[in-house]
Amino acid sequence: MSASELEMSSVRFPYRERIFHVEKKAPGEWVVLDGSHAQLGRLVRVSVEGEEHEPVFGAIPLGYSETLHEGSDWKSLVASLINEALDDEQPAATGNQGDA
C-alpha cells in the first residue's frame, strides 16, 4: 500500500488476524478504527516531503494531542497505534501462579 492509497475515503487494513480501517477525516488527517469502528488513534501528515522525498506521517494515540511516532512508513505507524490499543485491552499480569 502506498501513501496515495490514504487519499481514498477508507482503506481496509488487515492486521493481527483482524480487519481495521483507516478513514480520511480531512486533508492530511485520518482515524484508525477497529472492526466495530471504535477509534484507536489518528494518523496525520506532518510534512508533504521528507528526507527521502516521501510524505512524513505521525501517529497520535487516543488520549494524546501530539504525535508519539513519526516516519514515512504509514503502515508501521498504523500498526503501532493498533498494537498500543490492543495491548491496553489485555488484562495486566498479576504475577499470581494460582492458589498455593
Side-chain angles (χ1 to χ4, degrees), residues 18 20-21 31-35 37-42 60-63 78 81-86 89:
R18 293 166 64 179
F20 298 88
H21 301 275
V31 292
V32 179
L33 307 169
D34 68 9
H37 291 286
Q39 186 173 331
L40 304 177
R42 293 185 299 135
I60 305 173
L62 282 181
V78 169
L81 289 170
I82 294 168
N83 287 335
E84 185 167 321
L86 293 182
E89 289 178 359

Side-chain angles (χ1 to χ4, degrees), residues 18-87:
R18 293 166 64 179
I19 300 293
F20 298 88
H21 301 275
V22 181
E23 291 191 359
K24 186 174 183 176
K25 288 298 178 188
E29 184 177 345
W30 300 264
V31 292
V32 179
L33 307 169
D34 68 9
S36 69
H37 291 286
Q39 186 173 331
L40 304 177
R42 293 185 299 135
L43 182 70
V44 295
R45 184 172 33 239
V46 176
S47 174
V48 175
E49 188 174 310
E51 290 180 18
E52 298 176 12
H53 307 289
E54 295 286 330
V56 178
F57 300 96
I60 305 173
L62 282 181
Y64 289 79
S65 59
E66 297 182 4
T67 60
L68 213 54
H69 307 285
E70 293 183 0
S72 59
D73 185 0
W74 68 269
K75 294 175 282 190
S76 292
L77 294 171
V78 169
S80 74
L81 289 170
I82 294 168
N83 287 335
E84 185 167 321
L86 293 182
D87 291 347

